[in-house]
Amino acid sequence: MNVIKKKVNWKILCIAFCCELVLSYILPFRAYGGFKFGVGFPVTFLTMYNKPLNTSLLNSMHLNPLALLLNIVFIYVLIQLVIKVVNTIKNKQYRRLQNNE
């Protein structure tokens, strides 16, 4: 368990989770034949079915936690990659400035 705590940057994981929730509301829903709608980026993790108004909200929705976790991991890796690229570019520029002086 301690290995996971050391390897995972929990701050970035929280940011990835928040990004997933925000992207789910910003990006358009996917319509599947007009009777169900999917939410999620890049994988649909929430499906809402077009049911009569008398139906309970819980009966007309399906949450796929595995797809949600996959989305969070995808965004986490993407953020980590962007941070790594930005740090590499900054280090190269810093070395050039030191060599010129």
Side-chain angles (χ1 to χ4, degrees), residues 14-78:
C14 182
I15 291 171
F17 179 71
C18 292
C19 285
E20 174 60 33
L21 292 180
V22 169
L23 285 174
S24 297
Y25 287 102
I26 292 175
L27 295 177
F29 291 7
R30 295 182 186 108
Y32 300 102
F35 70 94
K36 70 177 183 176
F37 303 94
V39 179
F41 171 80
V43 180
T44 301
F45 69 89
L46 179 66
T47 305
M48 296 173 286
Y49 297 97
N50 192 6
K51 299 262 185 163
L53 293 176
N54 305 9
T55 308
S56 169
L57 183 63
L58 294 175
N59 290 335
S60 64
M61 296 179 84
H62 172 69
L63 176 67
N64 186 350
L66 187 61
L68 178 61
L69 184 64
L70 180 69
N71 290 346
I72 293 170
V73 168
F74 176 76
I75 294 173
Y76 176 82
V77 170
L78 189 66

